């Protein structure tokens, strides 16, 4: 798993890979104020960096319906268009503002199957500099138990650095 990220060869060890990608994301986004551009870049760069990331993207808090998420920038197959707070993994992360690591999506109560190939998932709440929830970041994998605390820690850090500062 040492594929090239643009011209940079990424490390195979997960934490080192995240560190390298986090540095690249920060460099690419330096000075970019647009939230949509920031989301699109994060989704694209993380999807390119990890082979097992089957679906990678954002569900954004709808400004007209504050208790609903609407699909935002993503990489992968067609995503669900809207998800209510409290529903499925993304809605649970939005409601609780806690990262959700799901080893087996079929065992998660109320899981929403946007693509039946998804077997595990991690969803991280995204907050802005004022502490307001603006989105959740969702990553799906085709294999069970593809995500762990290392993924959670690095994704939380990348999203914090990208959207809350």
């Amino acid at each position: 798993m040492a594929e090239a990220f643009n011209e940079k060869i990424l490390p195979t060890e997960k934490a080192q890979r995240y560190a390298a990608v986090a540095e690249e994301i920060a460099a690419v986004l330096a000075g970019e104020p647009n939230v949509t551009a920031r989301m699109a870049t994060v989704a694209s760069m993380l999807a390119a960096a990890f082979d097992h990331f089957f679906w990678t993207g954002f569900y954004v808090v709808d400004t007209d319906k504050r208790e609903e998420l609407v699909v935002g920038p993503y990489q992968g197959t067609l995503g669900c268009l809207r998800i209510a707070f409290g529903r499925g993994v993304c809605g649970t992360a939005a409601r609780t503002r806690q990262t959700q690591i799901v080893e087996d999506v079929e065992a998660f109560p109320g899981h929403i199957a946007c693509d039946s190939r998804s077997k595990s998932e991690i969803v991280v709440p995204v907050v802005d500099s004022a502490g307001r929830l603006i989105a959740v970041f969702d990553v799906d994998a085709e294999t069970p138990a593809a995500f762990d605390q290392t993924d959670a820690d690095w994704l939380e850090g990348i999203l914090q650095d990208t959207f809350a500062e």
Side-chain angles (χ1 to χ4, degrees), residues 28-165:
V28 168
L29 292 177
E32 177 52 62
N34 184 276
V35 173
T36 302
R38 296 176 82 75
M39 287 181 179
T41 300
V42 168
S44 174
M45 292 178 78
L46 284 167
F50 293 93
D51 288 338
H52 67 287
F53 283 21
F54 170 66
W55 195 96
T56 307
F58 291 87
Y59 283 96
V60 180
V61 176
D62 188 322
T63 55
D64 295 326
K65 298 179 179 181
R66 299 293 303 170
E67 293 287 310
E68 192 168 273
L69 301 166
V70 61
V71 71
Y74 70 91
Q75 301 283 309
T77 60
L78 184 63
C80 297
L81 296 182
R82 293 186 171 269
I83 300 171
F85 278 31
R87 188 162 176 253
V89 183
C90 290
T92 299
R95 171 80 66 222
T96 64
R97 291 189 179 207
Q98 295 179 344
T99 297
Q100 305 291 308
I101 301 171
V102 181
E103 293 185 354
D104 178 1
V105 295
E106 293 183 24
F108 189 89
H111 175 257
I112 303 166
C114 298
D115 189 313
S116 63
R117 292 174 289 178
S118 178
K119 300 300 178 208
S120 62
E121 185 170 5
I122 185 169
V123 180
V124 180
V126 180
V127 296
D128 65 13
S129 59
R132 291 179 299 247
L133 181 74
I134 59 170
V136 298
F137 183 68
D138 180 19
V139 183
D140 292 8
E142 292 179 289
T143 57
F147 307 104
D148 59 21
Q149 194 60 46
T150 299
D151 296 289
D153 292 344
W154 277 100
L155 291 172
E156 288 168 358
I158 289 168
L159 296 166
Q160 168 86 23
D161 292 347
T162 304
F163 297 100
E165 293 189 0

